[in-house]
Amino acid sequence: MPKLQTIAEHIGARVEGDASSSVDGLATLLDAGPTELSFLANMAYRDQLQITQAGAVIVHPKQAHEVKGTALVMDNPYLGYAKASQLFNTLPDAQKGIHSSAVIHESAQVDTTASIGANAVVEANAVIAKNAVIGSGSFIGNNSRIGEGTRLHSNVSVYHDVIIGTDCIIHSGAVIGSDGFGFAPDRGAWVKIAQIGGVVIGDHVEIGANSTIDRGAMSDTQIHDGVKLDNQIQIAHNVVVGEATAMAGGCLIAGSTQIGKGCTIAGGVGIAGHLKIADGVHVTAMTLVTNHISEAGSYSSGTAMSNTSEWRKSAARFRQLDSIAKRLKQCERVLSEKE
Amino acid sequence: MPKLQTIAEHIGARVEGDASSSVDGLATLLDAGPTELSFLANMAYRDQLQITQAGAVIVHPKQAHEVKGTALVMDNPYLGYAKASQLFNTLPDAQKGIHSSAVIHESAQVDTTASIGANAVVEANAVIAKNAVIGSGSFIGNNSRIGEGTRLHSNVSVYHDVIIGTDCIIHSGAVIGSDGFGFAPDRGAWVKIAQIGGVVIGDHVEIGANSTIDRGAMSDTQIHDGVKLDNQIQIAHNVVVGEATAMAGGCLIAGSTQIGKGCTIAGGVGIAGHLKIADGVHVTAMTLVTNHISEAGSYSSGTAMSNTSEWRKSAARFRQLDSIAKRLKQCERVLSEKE
Amino acid sequence: MPKLQTIAEHIGARVEGDASSSVDGLATLLDAGPTELSFLANMAYRDQLQITQAGAVIVHPKQAHEVKGTALVMDNPYLGYAKASQLFNTLPDAQKGIHSSAVIHESAQVDTTASIGANAVVEANAVIAKNAVIGSGSFIGNNSRIGEGTRLHSNVSVYHDVIIGTDCIIHSGAVIGSDGFGFAPDRGAWVKIAQIGGVVIGDHVEIGANSTIDRGAMSDTQIHDGVKLDNQIQIAHNVVVGEATAMAGGCLIAGSTQIGKGCTIAGGVGIAGHLKIADGVHVTAMTLVTNHISEAGSYSSGTAMSNTSEWRKSAARFRQLDSIAKRLKQCERVLSEKE
């Protein structure tokens, strides 16, 4: 049960009210009880300050006087919430040391402060740095390196020659370093192109559950510092994802595409191969990107949703669009001749 | 080799013909041989009753007289097929007890009738109920509970504080309780929001291979009784999926969206975050839902498929649609002035 | 360090220059150094022959005279690159034999030349053929057969009654033989249809990381010889994928669809159920296929990407398309009456 004073110091807020009282959880304004902390980050919920039962609320200075309990006051309450949440994290600490059921190659280097979970496997010449955590059933291939403080959850697969930086989080079922999809056609069959590049992942990267990041064909696939990838994302060989870019679930990024820094890619987006996407680009959900994007901004494709019966009519007419455009032009021509 | 009488009792049909004969398998009308059972549920295949070699056929009373072998007669032959299929299931029974290679924390409670597969891991305070099956290589995190009769196949990952009800089926590679995708922006970087909620899954739920269900940010992600999720589905934090809703492969459901009861969501559908979808909604394949849906019915987005060369013309004209609409309005105006 | 002469023989090229020198790696024309091999397969990069530092280059006879170092000359340089890449493969050889931590059922047959990785599990009556490799943490269910020379990477799940041919590659996290998605509706609930078919996978098939292939409802799901599937692909029950068809990441193929030979399906494509797709079909990225395709050719759906603000206008007008088409027809009628 942290005291509000402690929380305020951790998140960089000042306390208005009883700094010595404690809270035992974090909840929304509507859900929070008297022993819980809440926050107001979206003005749409401002009225809830009047009815919340929360013992304390993180707010912007402008709303501080509206808080009935204790206010934790700071300019960016959403950031305050993020930092406070870490104090209430329920994720169990991993036990230091190598579990007796783990299989570690004699040439692997595992720091004494690292944690290797039950039935995990660490192959030859792999390096597991200080305070790194390898979850149960995870696999670390030859020569791969897991950086300081990085945590792999259970059943993660890391192939050989993969470098993962410090303070990363890799969720269960993620696969890093699988072969890129490369084949040369030869008289109706496909000849495999060995994928001899690796994967290099920077620091503070998070990779979601069941996401896949392929190794490079010749040089490395690269995920730069601070990138956040949600679940079920596919990153093909030789993709470069720039610093602090975030992608929501189910995105598919084809080979050799370079995505800039600070991009936000919504769920289900596909980006074709060999493209360059500028810094600061936003792509809306389920858009297909088939061209370079050279300027920051928001990009979209697709159509709006309708009732299926209405949609069928539009979809049928979509096929006639070229004819419609030409016929319209003809109408305009006739009309202008009549003038 | 069950006797037809036994099958009829199991599925709730009456036998017309030789109830004492047996069948050793289940097949379509076209594939079935004389020792196999088949069914007619779709009238498009009615003519196949004339040519089928099946030893017995599950049919509606109206078609009973058309069956040449033995008829198993009931009002819902497709339901009869479903129930009969369970008698021919090839899935091996799991062996009761804890495999010697499994790693079980001393504080975990594993019922003596449960089965824990080879190299599975069960963490502290987890509870594995009667007749539950934990597949080989699966991981059950701290405090998680697996209900009576629930079966996890191999290599499933269940994080901490996840509750799974009774008689569920979780397929290989599924991940339940991974972190929701939540970050607060802070001067160009992302600060992680600890995901301190859990996941609560009801009874009779099936979750497909490599599907992912994130834990809640503060409160729980919820999958209600009787929900059926196909493979490779992504359910984000704090989503609620209502009773008996079914989703086909590859759906992406963004955070905090609430889906009603009895919905059928086709493959590859995306549903944006913070939406409410009514009961009884059907969404067609690969539709993007970006608004609340307040009425039952069928909904769609996207365009119909064409030859790529035709499609290119339509796609180019799509970008001109606003101009086309305005120019059409102008034509109409000129024409009405001429009247 | 293979000699150029050796490489030339391996890939079927003739050497122009110093056949006795060696190379220690493979790189693009721009990246290659004096001890590396490169290739020119795409004429867009032809100018790079002038500036490359590569010690040797695989080229078409027409460009042989432009190579400054040693030329490896052949008609299909891209095929040469593919074959050469295999000489530089970094994938570690698997150790023959059964790892002491693997769990093998006494009735399973494991060839003495096969490799069973740490913590892998092989169930009753499974057969692992000569030189097959079962990666760490992988699971092979009852009666399943893994063909000669086939390699499963770590954490692959193969259910019971799955047959995989020779010289296949199955990447980490792939799931083969999970239940097809079949239920009969019964008064608001879903009754499971036991999936009693298996999966049959031919020879020289590659299946990407976290891809899923469901078992058949009654008969088998089939993946024919030479098929190449990228990551995160979902193949539903009773699908048939024809010889040498290739699919990029994230494709979703619904139940009972039959895809022909030699098709190329781009990323994120959805194909509805019970369809027949001819041989030699190409489908562009993120297309939804809802009808049979009876002729070879290229097919597409969707719209082109725009700025979101422009796109919003088009998307709104899309809903008016039927009205636009009717109003245009009315304009044409009025105009023709005026003639």
Side-chain angles (χ1 to χ4, degrees), chain B residues 81 85-86 88 90 119 153-155 171-172 206 210 231-232 244 247 303 305-306 308 311 318-319 322 332, chain C residues 119 137 157 159 173 181 188 190 192-194 196 210 212 214 233-234 298-302 305 314 317 327:
Chain B
Y81 156 52
S85 73
Q86 296 166 359
F88 296 98
T90 55
N119 292 324
H153 286 272
S154 58
N155 291 325
H171 283 284
S172 290
E206 184 158 347
N210 284 346
N231 298 348
Q232 311 237 21
M247 285 185 211
T303 78
M305 186 190 73
S306 317
T308 301
W311 171 81
F318 179 80
R319 284 179 167 148
D322 193 51
E332 291 172 328
Chain C
N119 293 324
S157 299
Y159 283 60
F181 197 61
W190 299 102
K192 183 170 176 72
I193 297 171
I196 62 182
N210 285 346
T212 50
D214 280 344
I233 285 171
Q234 152 66 358
S298 180
Y299 298 85
S300 304
S301 74
M305 187 190 72
S314 299
R317 297 297 190 184
R327 287 160 51 205

Side-chain angles (χ1 to χ4, degrees), chain A:
Chain A
M1 297 249 296
K3 287 205 187 325
L4 291 175
Q5 183 60 42
T6 311
I7 296 173
E9 284 164 15
H10 178 74
I11 72 179
R14 68 182 155 78
V15 183
E16 294 191 5
D18 179 6
S20 67
S21 64
S22 298
V23 286
D24 59 7
L26 196 56
T28 60
L29 288 169
L30 282 186
D31 286 348
T35 62
E36 289 182 307
L37 174 65
S38 191
F39 65 98
L40 175 69
N42 179 339
M43 284 306 116
Y45 301 125
R46 185 177 169 183
D47 287 352
Q48 297 179 0
L49 281 181
Q50 305 308 312
I51 55 169
T52 186
Q53 301 293 313
V57 183
I58 308 170
V59 288
H60 189 271
K62 286 187 183 160
Q63 278 75 45
H65 64 284
E66 299 175 29
V67 176
K68 297 182 172 173
T70 300
L72 272 56
V73 183
M74 61 191 292
D75 285 341
N76 187 346
Y78 196 63
L79 180 61
Y81 156 53
K83 290 181 173 174
S85 73
Q86 296 167 359
L87 299 174
F88 296 97
N89 201 349
T90 55
L91 177 65
D93 286 335
Q95 203 172 339
K96 305 275 180 212
I98 297 171
H99 192 276
S100 59
S101 63
V103 177
I104 314 289
H105 193 275
E106 57 184 4
S107 65
Q109 297 171 47
V110 178
D111 190 273
T112 53
T113 60
S115 166
I116 311 289
N119 293 324
V121 177
V122 179
E123 296 276 56
N125 300 311
V127 178
I128 314 296
K130 271 202 253 183
N131 298 313
V133 177
I134 307 300
S136 295
S138 288
F139 172 84
I140 310 296
N142 284 36
N143 301 319
S144 289
R145 292 159 172 269
I146 309 298
E148 192 174 331
T150 284
R151 184 166 190 158
L152 277 61
H153 287 271
S154 57
N155 292 324
V156 170
S157 298
V158 176
Y159 283 59
H160 54 289
D161 298 326
V162 170
I163 296 173
I164 300 179
T166 62
D167 295 319
C168 294
I169 300 172
I170 317 285
H171 284 284
S172 290
V175 177
I176 302 174
S178 42
D179 282 350
F181 197 62
F183 303 91
D186 181 29
R187 293 162 295 166
W190 299 102
V191 175
K192 183 171 176 73
I193 297 171
Q195 303 290 302
I196 62 181
V199 179
V200 177
I201 293 175
D203 302 334
H204 305 286
V205 170
E206 184 158 345
I207 294 172
N210 285 345
S211 283
T212 50
I213 300 178
D214 280 345
R215 63 192 314 106
M218 291 185 284
S219 55
D220 297 331
T221 303
Q222 298 172 42
I223 310 291
H224 291 180
D225 293 351
V227 166
K228 307 297 177 184
L229 302 181
D230 197 359
N231 298 348
Q232 311 237 21
I233 285 171
Q234 151 66 359
I235 304 286
H237 49 185
N238 298 104
V239 164
V240 178
V241 182
E243 209 176 311
T245 280
M247 286 186 209
C251 288
L252 304 168
I253 313 300
S256 299
T257 279
Q258 299 184 26
I259 298 176
K261 300 177 187 177
C263 295
T264 49
I265 314 290
V269 164
I271 305 185
H274 297 274
L275 297 181
K276 280 207 174 187
I277 309 298
D279 296 346
V281 164
H282 176 66
V283 184
T284 63
M286 290 175 71
T287 290
L288 173 62
V289 180
T290 52
N291 291 299
H292 301 294
I293 298 180
S294 56
E295 283 182 50
S298 179
Y299 298 85
S300 304
S301 74
T303 77
M305 187 190 72
S306 317
N307 274 303
T308 300
S309 56
E310 289 301 309
W311 171 81
R312 277 214 187 90
K313 292 181 201 167
S314 299
R317 297 297 189 184
F318 179 80
R319 284 179 167 148
Q320 304 164 8
L321 260 183
D322 194 50
S323 148
I324 285 171
K326 285 176 176 157
R327 286 159 52 206
L328 176 59
K329 183 135 214 154
Q330 177 61 13
C331 284
E332 291 172 327
R333 197 174 294 128
V334 172
L335 281 173
S336 79
E337 283 165 5
K338 283 197 192 297
E339 299 284 298

Side-chain angles (χ1 to χ4, degrees), chain C residues 57-72:
Chain C
V57 182
I58 308 170
V59 288
H60 189 271
K62 286 187 182 160
Q63 278 75 45
H65 65 284
E66 299 175 30
V67 176
K68 297 182 171 172
T70 299
L72 273 55

Side-chain angles (χ1 to χ4, degrees), chain B residues 10 16 21 27-28 32 73 82 84 86 88 93 123 130 147 202 220 240 259 268 282 295 299 308:
Chain B
H10 178 74
E16 293 191 5
S21 64
T28 61
V73 184
Q86 296 166 359
F88 296 98
D93 287 335
E123 296 276 56
K130 271 203 253 184
D220 297 331
V240 178
I259 298 176
H282 176 66
E295 283 182 49
Y299 298 85
T308 301

